[in-house]
Amino acid sequence: MSRRTGIVIVFICIFAVVSAEWLGGNPPDPYSAPDPMAFGSTSGASGAICSFAPGASQ
C-alpha cells in the first residue's frame, strides 16, 4: 500500500464519519452538556473542583 492510498483511505473514513453524524445525529444541546472541566463530577460548576483549596471552609 502506497502513501497515497493510505491518505485517500483516511480522508474517506473521515468523510464517512462526518456524513453519518451530519445525516443521522441530533444537533448538540449546549444546555444539557456537562461542564467541560468537571472530569466526571456533576457538581463542577458549584465549586467542587476548588473545594480542596488551602483555607477553604469545610
Side-chain angles (χ1 to χ4, degrees):
M1 179 165 67
S2 67
R3 183 179 297 195
R4 182 177 298 171
T5 306
I7 292 171
V8 169
I9 290 172
V10 166
F11 280 124
I12 289 172
C13 291
I14 290 172
F15 179 75
V17 167
V18 170
S19 298
E21 187 66 32
W22 185 53
L23 292 173
N26 296 329
D29 184 10
Y31 299 108
S32 67
D35 184 19
M37 294 299 292
F39 297 121
S41 172
T42 58
S43 57
S46 66
I49 295 173
C50 301
S51 61
F52 295 117
S57 62
Q58 303 239 348

